Amino acid sequence: MNVRQKPERTRLSAEDWEDAALNLIAEQGVGALAVEALARQLGVTKGSFYWHFRTREALLQAALERWEQYGEREIISQIEAIPDPRERLPELFRRVAHELHPHRVYAALLKALDHPLVVPVMARVSKRRTEFLHTAYSEAGLEAEEALNRARLTYAAYVGFLQLNFTLGLPRLSHEEFDAYVEHMIATLIPA
Amino acid sequence: MNVRQKPERTRLSAEDWEDAALNLIAEQGVGALAVEALARQLGVTKGSFYWHFRTREALLQAALERWEQYGEREIISQIEAIPDPRERLPELFRRVAHELHPHRVYAALLKALDHPLVVPVMARVSKRRTEFLHTAYSEAGLEAEEALNRARLTYAAYVGFLQLNFTLGLPRLSHEEFDAYVEHMIATLIPA
DNA sequence: GCGATTCCATACGGGCGAGTATGGATTGCG
DNA sequence: CGCAATCCATACTCGCCCGTATGGAATCGC
């Protein structure tokens, strides 16, 4: 903990602040996003911050936009590259299940749904992902109505799982238990 | 808005404060729980508050305990009263789906998982409910391992749905769409 | 009805963190 | 090299809200 990536990074850019903000959010939540704290962590003072950003909210906004931009790109394209549509969903499940850092941020944002700024971002992201699932289920053979509801159900299960196991450290699943759970999801949610 | 239940309730008890706190939490989230605001809303001043409670956190704690106590009691017992185990889960789904106020509080607490005080409460509640689902699935015919994972999946789907549709006002389902979604859940998650 | 207890109002102290002002250091550029 | 733009430090102000201190009003017990 408390390690600076580069001990002396004599000059900072707005992007540096945004990245640092996202990291801090991932570790301590949106509520902990304070400019003096961030400044300390970056080895500078407020003076620097208020040169790059007009306000604290502006940083949050920028950081969220940044996150929304460079969020899922790769995974989606990787999945779409799989030729057989029926193999895509299981592969998606397993791949997503073994991610970590993206989930941290998403979970942190999930428990910061108080804040008005994060709501629209999360809404957009969730919408896009649900739509992706929707078409995936359609291509896997479900008919329209059913595919949509299954997509909703799947994404809800994903979001809920993050809350229960990430934020609340609820069942504390072992590696094997977790894998078994994922396989159970696949068996239950994906048509044979 | 801003209606006092009883215009003049000349004297207040600790329970009154706790109820008011829960209502405020349900409407505006845990973050909005400020003693002066609450006092205004109750038509008194801080002086009153600090006679009943040692601190703001103490109120939150008390309110959460109160909520945890009188939370689900009735529904669970009603469900357990259903003779045929295979009818319990569908009935549970449909009943829960048509609640409202309890979900408000739960959703508000869900997006306040930042706060250290709410985490253990939510953990306990979620654990109990998942266990309830676990036995229900067992009684409905699933074997041990599968029943547990199905319970986790079901509760995760519930939690996620609250987040997506309550907090984010995401798909804005119509009445019919919502019912269709619930039936889809039943068809997908509950063994035939 | 009268003192003691319970409940509440008013006024103040103080911390925490956002935002401002201003001058100094560093870097790019002619 | 030297000037301008860029980046940062220091030292404030200010608002918000928790908590405290103390006196006054309402209510209960005898």
Side-chain angles (χ1 to χ4, degrees), chain B residues 1-46:
Chain B
M1 322 289 163
N2 279 348
V3 281
R4 315 209 186 323
Q5 299 88 324
K6 309 281 179 181
E8 306 306 332
R9 211 199 168 314
T10 28
R11 231 73 193 265
L12 292 176
S13 70
E15 286 77 20
D16 293 326
W17 285 94
E18 295 168 11
D19 285 340
L22 281 177
N23 285 333
L24 203 160
I25 288 174
E27 290 168 12
Q28 312 198 35
V30 175
L33 186 61
V35 331
E36 303 195 71
L38 246 195
R40 261 194 307 278
Q41 184 176 321
L42 286 173
V44 291
T45 65
K46 300 165 55 160

Side-chain angles (χ1 to χ4, degrees), chain A residues 114, chain B residues 14-15 17-26 29-35 38 49-50 52-69 105 108-110 112-122 124:
Chain A
D114 288 64
Chain B
E15 286 77 20
W17 285 94
E18 295 168 11
D19 285 340
L22 281 177
N23 285 333
L24 203 160
I25 288 174
V30 175
L33 186 61
V35 331
L38 246 195
F49 177 86
Y50 283 101
H52 293 285
F53 298 92
R54 233 173 40 76
T55 167
R56 191 204 100 126
E57 299 259 295
L59 169 65
L60 217 199
Q61 181 111 35
L64 289 177
E65 280 178 14
R66 188 176 183 74
W67 174 76
E68 188 179 356
Q69 289 278 331
V105 182
L109 260 33
L110 228 31
L113 247 31
D114 286 64
H115 201 108
L117 279 182
V118 327
V119 172
V121 178
M122 293 296 274
R124 282 195 299 272

Side-chain angles (χ1 to χ4, degrees), chain B residues 87 89-99 182-183 186:
Chain B
E87 286 179 7
L89 279 167
E91 188 57 25
L92 173 63
F93 280 35
R94 297 198 179 94
R95 257 199 170 70
V96 168
H98 290 88
E99 300 265 343
V182 174
E183 293 306 319
I186 293 177

Side-chain angles (χ1 to χ4, degrees), chain A residues 6-184:
Chain A
K6 308 280 178 182
E8 307 306 331
R9 210 201 169 313
T10 27
R11 231 72 193 265
L12 292 176
S13 71
E15 286 76 20
D16 294 327
W17 285 94
E18 295 168 12
D19 284 340
L22 281 177
N23 285 333
L24 203 161
I25 288 175
E27 290 168 13
Q28 311 198 35
V30 175
L33 187 61
V35 330
E36 302 196 71
L38 246 195
R40 259 193 308 278
Q41 184 178 320
L42 284 173
V44 291
T45 66
K46 301 164 56 158
S48 170
F49 176 85
Y50 283 100
W51 191 91
H52 294 284
F53 297 92
R54 232 173 41 75
T55 166
R56 192 203 98 128
E57 299 260 294
L59 169 64
L60 218 199
Q61 183 110 36
L64 289 177
E65 278 177 15
R66 189 174 182 77
W67 174 76
E68 188 180 356
Q69 290 277 331
Y70 305 92
E72 53 251 345
R73 297 254 176 284
E74 345 67 80
I75 300 188
I76 287 190
S77 57
Q78 285 179 355
I79 294 299
E80 279 174 339
I82 299 176
D84 183 359
R86 307 183 70 86
E87 287 179 6
R88 286 178 196 159
L89 280 167
E91 188 57 25
L92 173 63
F93 281 33
R94 297 198 179 93
R95 257 200 170 70
V96 168
H98 291 88
E99 300 265 343
L100 187 60
H101 185 68
H103 296 325
R104 277 210 213 291
V105 182
Y106 193 84
L109 260 33
L110 228 30
K111 57 179 193 178
L113 247 32
D114 288 64
H115 201 108
L117 279 182
V118 326
V119 172
V121 178
M122 292 297 273
R124 282 194 298 272
V125 170
S126 302
K127 185 162 175 290
R128 271 201 300 274
R129 295 182 179 179
T130 303
E131 284 168 355
F132 180 73
L133 283 172
H134 180 24
T135 72
Y137 273 119
S138 290
E139 293 169 352
L142 290 188
E143 52 98 9
E145 183 85 4
E146 205 174 9
L148 178 55
N149 280 327
R150 190 64 62 85
R152 287 170 179 157
L153 176 56
T154 301
Y155 197 69
Y158 164 69
V159 168
F161 182 82
L162 281 188
Q163 291 280 59
L164 294 175
N165 294 262
F166 243 77
T167 303
L168 310 180
L170 248 205
R172 272 287 166 259
L173 301 180
S174 73
H175 235 59
E176 295 77 25
E177 287 174 319
F178 177 71
D179 287 341
Y181 176 73
V182 174
E183 292 306 320
H184 179 86

